[in-house]
Amino acid sequence: MSTDDVYTLMARSQELPYGEARTVLVEDALRRAEAAGDEVLAFHVRVRLTDAYRYGGEPAKAFATFSRTLADHDRDPGRFDDARGLLWQMKAVVSSLTLFPEIPLDRTYAVLDDMERRYKAGGHSLQAVYHYRNVVARHVGDGSADEWYLKWRAAERDELSDCEGCDPTGMVRHLVEAGRHEEAFEIAAPVLSARLSCNEQPQSIQTALLPVYLRTDRAEQAADAHRRAYRVHRSRLADLSDIAEHLEFCAVTGNEARGLEILQRHLGWLDRAPSAHADMDFCAAAALVLRRVAAAGHGAATVRRPAADGRPAADVPVADLHAELADRATALADRFDARNGTSHQGGKVRGTLAAEPVAGFVPLAAHHRRPEQAPAPVPPPVPQDDDLARVDDLDELLGIADERRTGGDIPRVLAAWRRFDVLAGKTEPTPLQKARRLDGRGVEHAVAGDGPSAVACWEEAARLFGELGDETRRHRTLGRLGMARVDLGDEGGLAQVSAAARHLTAHSGEDGDAAAALLRLATAHIRLEHPAEALAALDQVVPDEAPDRAGELWFLRGQAFLLADRAGEAVAALRRSVAAARASGDPELVAAPALLLARTLARQESGPDEETFALLDEVIAALRDASPMRAAAYSERGLAFLAVDRPADAAADLVEGVAGWTAEGLHEQAVHLRVDLAAAYLSTDRALEAAETAEEALPNLDDEAARRCRLILAHAQKRLGEKDAATLFTALAEEAGQAGQHDAAAHFFTEAADILTGLDMDAPAAERYAQAAEACEKAGDPYGVARTRRRAAMCLMWSGDADEAVTAMDTARAALAGLPPDDEPTRVWETALTSFEQARVLAQVGRLDEAASHASAAVDGFTAIDQTAPAEDATRLLEDIRAALG
């Protein structure tokens, strides 16, 4: 068994994040080192395996590997020499021993004492020892925690102290438990803006500060810390306790839906919890979220629990899961308290289970707003200047209602009908009066948004009018009835609207009857997307018969022209509609035609112009109350800003649009607008907001919209430095390849490879570059083939697979033959660069004569096209190779 295999496995493991895959590689490396009989190599691999177990979510396994390496070191320190690494790991061992109730507390104290002895013997500061004595004291609820905290802070830091992020994190946790939140913030503040490279930072200090932010009126910082830290924790099983803190944060800030989402994502992790303590923390926090979900009125919901260990997957009711997790957390706390001889862990669990909101609703993003609870409907008051109380004639009251309804004065109409109802309780109305009042009830239901009840009233009223022989009133009611049916999706209503229009056009009962019926008919045809029929109906309207409805007439014409793809005529009609609405003196009448005109102008080939923005400004100013139209206006203006490359302005408006649609319960519009909002965030370098917003939208999108959203998300994750970006770009590349879009596939594979290279994950990067090269070949891009094959070879070299790198570089050189001859400078550049990289690879494997030849060719090539800096680099490489040749 070759030790080279061990080094190769260890190199590959370094490219993987901590977790099962990395641990398996290190375990394999240890088996191979032991089989090769290299005890020293096995010792060093075992040290790294301790880290893999700890950071990979298996701290219990780390006890055995750490004990073995410590014993080896003590037996022969000169041979097994990693004293600093072992002393550093000892801190984690102390902390981990507290996490398992079956491990006696005496063992933890014994390791602490041994740690102090070794630190003193090595001449190290006891700062870290005091830190972990504080950790153990806080775990058991010992009053000595304050004493150890003071010693910890006073002691001098040295190379064995926790990093500049982890040390303050521990101090923050001590102060939070003591209720000293402002002091905790002061300690953390200096490191919040520092660049922390520790595996546990900055997400750990951000998580520890969540209760600090909430209790010091820093809600916006709390939301930001939650979003940033959870993005890191969510992929790490070892961070299950930290995830529990985010669950609790969501529960006490009114973000039950977010908490439920997190719970659902990680519930399966309980089946492989890294420790009993993490299990307890997660169960308690998850039970709290479930209690808050039930309190918010969603107790009938279920949570999907994945299958595990013979237990089938199941949808578990919120109440049942709450009871199960609360009992589990309590039982675990009892085990810890029995081991510790205190009630401290049980008290913490009970506190979590009973926690109440801390700061009201804390929005996690600008478009997260909790809708105001709608006030109970209050009947419009009877106008003070109306002397309806002295009107005792039912016909007179119905006449007043009809007159005011024509004028759009709904409050006074309702007042007249209420007076009618009072008198009708004392005097039996005539059949005609009953029919007219029933017609009015249909109007009341329609105004309240109850279409089916309006239809029922109008059907009965039309029947009664027919029995009474009042054809004019019957057809007026039929028109309203048919329009209501069309609005409810019943196309059969069109026949009733048409019949009413025919009758009232031929037998108009009052001025305006015919015009109103024709406008209604045109509206029905537009709803059903019959533009020609709508225009035919509008052509029959005599303008002089309805001068006050000119704005509506032109608005309907504009809509019909748009349906008929006659955009120029639509714009002209809508401009006339807007002008007529402005002339009325009522700004709200301008909103609908101005919004449609702005939308039409924005979608022209020239894009949004000054008129577009002026119209949208006017609409938003006119609509002061929340409504779907106001949400649409903000959405349109945001999209217009996005189209003219003003993403910061776009983001502000799109936030209002998403919030508005959500408040109105129109979630489909909100979901699709989130994709545009994510794009605006990405264009303003707000990658975190872009990623969060895209992830919110993604589960509810169809294929085409989802592809755009995933592309935005991939770029956002790339800017955040997240490995998931490479996975997403790879998936996009595979989809593009399947669709025959090979140029796009090559681009996405290259993006994935670039990300992996930036993360020092060179072996998988080489695979992606190779896939990019294949896609470039299919796309007919010879330059892309040469570049990606060269990059693949270099990644193989950096990953330690030098022999494969030599073969890959030969393939890259062969690809140069496909470069077009008509672009000499580019061909020379690509050839020289390949020679330069090939020289590096060959030098790595000791083929120095060949390396020198390629380096010399690189110098000549770069010089020929006046690339001075690359030529100098190639010259230095050539000199180094010649020096190695002697």
Side-chain angles (χ1 to χ4, degrees), residues 48 127 201 217 266 310 345 385 473 480 526 530 578 606 614 651 700 703 726 814 822 876:
R48 298 285 70 82
Q127 197 256 10
Q201 297 298 343
D217 297 324
H266 300 289
Q345 293 298 318
D385 61 343
R473 285 195 172 95
R480 287 190 282 273
I526 288 169
H530 304 156
V578 170
S606 57
N700 303 298
D703 290 344
D822 56 351
R876 282 191 292 271

Side-chain angles (χ1 to χ4, degrees), residues 667-682:
H667 298 293
E668 183 176 352
Q669 290 89 332
V671 163
H672 283 83
L673 199 63
R674 279 190 178 95
V675 182
D676 297 297
L677 177 56
Y681 280 144
L682 189 63

Side-chain angles (χ1 to χ4, degrees), residues 186-205:
E186 291 171 7
I187 283 179
V191 299
L192 291 177
S193 58
R195 294 181 64 87
L196 305 173
S197 58
C198 168
N199 181 68
E200 299 179 47
Q201 297 298 343
Q203 67 272 15
S204 290
I205 196 164

Side-chain angles (χ1 to χ4, degrees), residues 613-638:
F613 288 105
L615 287 164
L616 292 169
D617 292 345
E618 185 176 6
V619 173
I620 290 170
L623 300 174
R624 298 191 176 277
D625 296 329
S627 67
M629 189 177 294
R630 182 175 171 84
Y634 272 116
S635 302
E636 286 297 327
R637 195 169 70 177

